[in-house]
Amino acid sequence: MQATVQQRAGRAVASGRSSRNVAVNMHAVGSSVAPAVVSPSVVSLAKRRELRQSVKAQSAATANKTAVPTTASSNGAGTKVMIIGGDGYCGWASALHLSARGYKVCIVDNLCRRNFDLQLGLDTLTPIASIHDRVKRWGEISGKHIELAIGDICDWEFFGDAFSSFAPDAVVHFGEQRSAPYSMIDRQRAVFTQNNNVIGTINVLYAIKDLKPDCHLVKLGTMGEYGTPNIDIEEGYITITHNGRTDTLPYPKQGGSFYHLSKVHDSHNIHFAARAWKVAATDLNQGVVYGVRTEETVADPLLINRYDYDGIFGTALNRFVVQAAVGHPLTVYGKGGQTRGYLDIRDTVRCIQIAIDNPAKAGEMRVFNQFTEQWSVNQLAEIVGREGKKLGLNVQVTNVPNPRVEAEEHYYNAKNTKLQDLGLKPHLLQDAMVDSLLEFALQYKDRVRHELIKPAVDWRKSGTKVNTMQAAVSK
C-alpha cells in the first residue's frame, strides 16, 4: 500500500494535478506542486524501489544497534505541532526532534522537493528513504506516532480540511521552494516560486484566522531578506528618526533573488495579518544551515537526512565539504568576500522548539535572526582546506565567475541575541564539526556526481525559455 500511495503521489506531483486522493491518515497538503516540465513517474518508481532496498538493507544490518535518542524529554506535553514541509532538510530533522520530546506532530508535505531532483537530474548525497518508510521506522524505534499527510497547501479545500482535522497549537511553516538558484533557472521557476511560497503562506494565515485563532505561526524566513546593507542588521525592526519624528518600522528588505523576494512578501503578509487579525507569529530569519546529523536522524539508517551538494540546492559549507572529499577544487564564487550568518542543523531544530515553547502574543509578529556565527565564503574555504589536509586530502580552491548578482566585498554585522536570550546554546563551527562532516562525505563519496558541482544557474541569463535540461550541469 505504501508503494502504491507514493507512486500515485509521484504521478500527481509530476503532472501538476491535484493530489486530493493521495493522503495518509488524513486529507492534507504540503507545499505546491513543481512545474510539470517532465514526467518522472516511471523513473521515480524504479529509483524509489532501488533506494528502498538499499536503505532497508542498511537498516537490517544495524537493527541491533539502533537506540532511541537518550536525551529526549517529554517537555512537549502533547502540544500539537503541524510541520509543513516536514519531508525536507530542516523539516524532517525538526519533526523528529519535536516528536522525541513529547510533541504531537503532523507532517504535511507534497514531496515536491523530491520531484525537483527527478526533474533536474539531482540527487542527495545520502540514500534517503521514502517519507512513508521514514515515519514508519520512527514509530517502530521510538514508540511515537507522527501523522503524515500528502498534498498541496496552495489548494485551500484540502489544506482547510487538514488544518481543521489536526487543529494544531502551533504550525511550523517550512513548506516553500527554498532555493535562490532554482528561482532563477527560468521564468517558469520564478513564477512557481512566488506563487507557491506567497499563496501557501496566505492560506496558512487564513487557516489560523478562521479555523484555529489561537494557533501560533512559526514561519521560516531567511536572512537573505535583508540583503547586505552598509549598516547593522537588526532583528526585524529598526527605530528611525526622520525630520524630527521617530518610529519603529520593519527593517528594509533587499532580496537578492525571486526566492528571497517571495520571503519578503511573506513577511509583509504575516505582519499585516498580525495587525488586522491578531495572528500570533514568529518569523525566523534563518541563516545558511550546515550539517546533517541530529540526535534523531542518526538513530537508524532509514531516518537519515538528505544532504545536498549541487549548485542549486547545496549550501556553501555542505558543498565545500563534498568537494574536498572527492578531490574537486572548492568553488568560491567571485572574490569570496560574501559574508552571511550560519548555523548547525542541531541549532535549527532547537530554535524551532524554543519558538514554540515561547509563543508570540496575539497580534504580535516578532522576528528572530536565526544564526549563530558569521563567515565569509573565503573563511569557510580556508577552514575546510585546513581540516581536509589533516585527513590527507589535497584541498585546492578555485575562484569561479559569480553566477549571482551580489556584492562580493561588503560590510555585514547582523544581530542575533533574541534566541540565545531564550535559551539557545549554539553549536559553533569547531574544527571537530568540519572533521565530522568530511568523514561523513567520504563515507558517501561514491554517490557524488561531479558534473553537478559547478554552478549552472546564472542570474543574468534567466529567461523565458524553459531551462530544465541545462539547469543543473554547467557547460
Side-chain angles (χ1 to χ4, degrees):
M1 179 63 179
Q2 289 177 349
T4 302
V5 169
Q6 183 149 341
Q7 183 179 359
R8 289 163 57 203
R11 286 199 296 265
V13 173
S15 65
R17 292 183 281 108
S18 170
S19 50
R20 176 177 185 176
N21 296 322
V22 185
V24 180
N25 292 334
M26 55 187 290
H27 296 295
V29 288
S31 55
S32 181
V33 294
V37 181
V38 292
S39 179
S41 58
V42 176
V43 177
S44 171
L45 181 59
K47 194 171 184 181
R48 285 169 179 155
R49 184 181 295 118
E50 178 183 354
L51 174 59
R52 188 176 294 111
Q53 292 171 349
S54 171
V55 292
K56 283 185 175 179
Q58 294 180 54
S59 180
T62 60
N64 293 332
K65 301 177 183 178
T66 299
V68 180
T70 57
T71 62
S73 62
S74 299
N75 56 350
T79 301
K80 297 170 70 176
V81 181
M82 175 175 280
I83 301 184
I84 303 173
D87 186 45
Y89 174 56
C90 293
W92 175 242
S94 297
L96 294 189
H97 177 87
L98 294 173
S99 178
R101 287 156 180 81
Y103 300 81
K104 184 177 181 182
V105 174
C106 173
I107 287 177
V108 176
D109 204 300
N110 76 341
L111 313 182
C112 72
R113 175 63 192 87
R114 296 174 185 255
N115 196 48
F116 295 156
D117 282 352
L118 293 169
Q119 287 187 349
L120 300 173
L122 308 175
D123 202 1
T124 165
L125 177 70
T126 49
I128 60 173
S130 73
I131 184 60
H132 306 87
D133 288 342
R134 281 174 152 186
V135 168
K136 179 182 178 182
R137 185 57 177 155
W138 174 248
E140 291 170 347
I141 72 170
S142 71
K144 298 178 183 295
H145 175 65
I146 291 179
E147 293 192 36
L148 175 61
I150 306 299
D152 184 354
I153 68 169
C154 288
D155 187 322
W156 171 252
E157 179 184 355
F158 301 103
F159 184 59
D161 287 347
F163 200 90
S164 296
S165 298
F166 187 68
D169 301 307
V171 55
V172 181
H173 187 10
F174 290 105
E176 299 194 326
Q177 192 294 101
R178 66 170 180 82
S179 165
Y182 185 93
S183 75
M184 301 301 296
I185 290 174
D186 51 33
R187 183 208 63 84
Q188 186 186 40
R189 268 55 180 222
V191 171
F192 168 79
T193 299
Q194 295 254 333
N195 182 79
N196 179 75
N197 295 1
V198 176
I199 301 305
T201 297
I202 289 176
N203 277 350
V204 173
L205 291 170
Y206 267 98
I208 294 172
K209 173 185 178 290
D210 282 0
L211 304 177
K212 192 74 163 52
D214 61 346
C215 178
H216 175 212
L217 172 61
V218 179
K219 171 66 168 58
L220 262 291
T222 170
M223 289 296 295
E225 293 184 38
Y226 298 120
T228 54
N230 198 38
I231 59 173
D232 290 354
I233 297 174
E234 305 297 331
E235 297 202 59
Y237 298 90
I238 186 170
T239 300
I240 297 173
T241 299
H242 179 66
N243 291 340
R245 302 185 68 84
T246 299
D247 201 355
T248 297
L249 303 168
Y251 196 95
K253 306 296 179 70
Q254 303 179 79
S257 71
F258 287 120
Y259 154 73
H260 291 105
L261 290 166
S262 76
K263 294 289 194 175
V264 172
H265 300 326
D266 283 344
S267 293
H268 289 155
N269 289 337
I270 296 168
H271 191 214
F272 169 76
R275 299 195 316 272
W277 301 336
K278 303 303 179 183
V279 169
T282 300
D283 198 7
L284 298 174
N285 283 338
Q286 183 167 256
V288 183
V289 183
Y290 60 83
V292 68
R293 292 184 173 97
T294 64
E295 194 173 359
E296 294 75 31
T297 60
V298 297
D300 187 89
L302 283 173
L303 304 180
I304 196 169
N305 208 349
R306 68 179 303 120
Y307 187 117
D308 297 307
Y309 63 90
D310 58 84
I312 295 179
F313 288 98
T315 57
L317 182 58
N318 283 354
R319 287 191 298 108
F320 284 172
V321 165
V322 169
Q323 290 168 12
V326 299
H328 190 287
L330 309 189
T331 51
V332 172
Y333 295 175
K335 297 177 181 178
Q338 302 94 316
T339 301
R340 303 290 187 268
Y342 288 81
L343 76 161
D344 190 307
I345 193 167
R346 292 173 295 178
D347 291 333
T348 290
V349 301
R350 179 63 179 138
C351 288
I352 297 299
Q353 182 183 0
I354 288 173
I356 293 170
D357 291 347
N358 300 274
K361 299 175 183 177
E364 177 187 17
M365 177 191 164
R366 60 184 185 179
V367 181
F368 298 160
N369 289 344
Q370 186 172 303
F371 72 95
T372 56
E373 296 177 279
Q374 295 180 175
W375 301 98
S376 72
V377 175
N378 284 332
Q379 288 173 321
L380 293 178
E382 180 183 353
I383 293 169
V384 173
R386 182 179 67 242
E387 297 309 307
K389 289 176 182 177
K390 292 180 182 178
L391 296 176
L393 301 174
N394 181 22
V395 182
Q396 303 294 322
V397 178
T398 183
N399 294 80
V400 300
N402 193 345
R404 305 186 178 210
V405 177
E406 62 183 358
E408 297 176 4
E409 295 177 317
H410 56 85
Y411 177 83
Y412 196 83
N413 185 36
K415 306 296 178 60
N416 65 335
T417 61
K418 292 182 179 180
L419 283 162
Q420 294 186 45
D421 289 344
L422 290 174
L424 175 65
K425 295 179 173 56
H427 294 84
L428 300 181
L429 185 58
Q430 307 291 344
D431 293 347
M433 176 60 191
V434 179
D435 290 346
S436 175
L437 277 174
L438 283 166
E439 290 170 358
F440 184 87
L442 287 168
Q443 178 183 353
Y444 291 101
K445 71 175 184 178
D446 291 342
R447 291 177 52 86
V448 175
R449 293 170 53 195
H450 290 240
E451 70 273 16
L452 301 178
I453 290 177
K454 290 185 178 180
V457 179
D458 191 315
W459 268 226
R460 302 163 187 83
K461 297 179 181 179
S462 182
T464 57
K465 181 180 178 180
V466 175
N467 196 33
T468 303
M469 302 311 295
Q470 291 79 37
V473 180
S474 179
K475 295 180 179 179

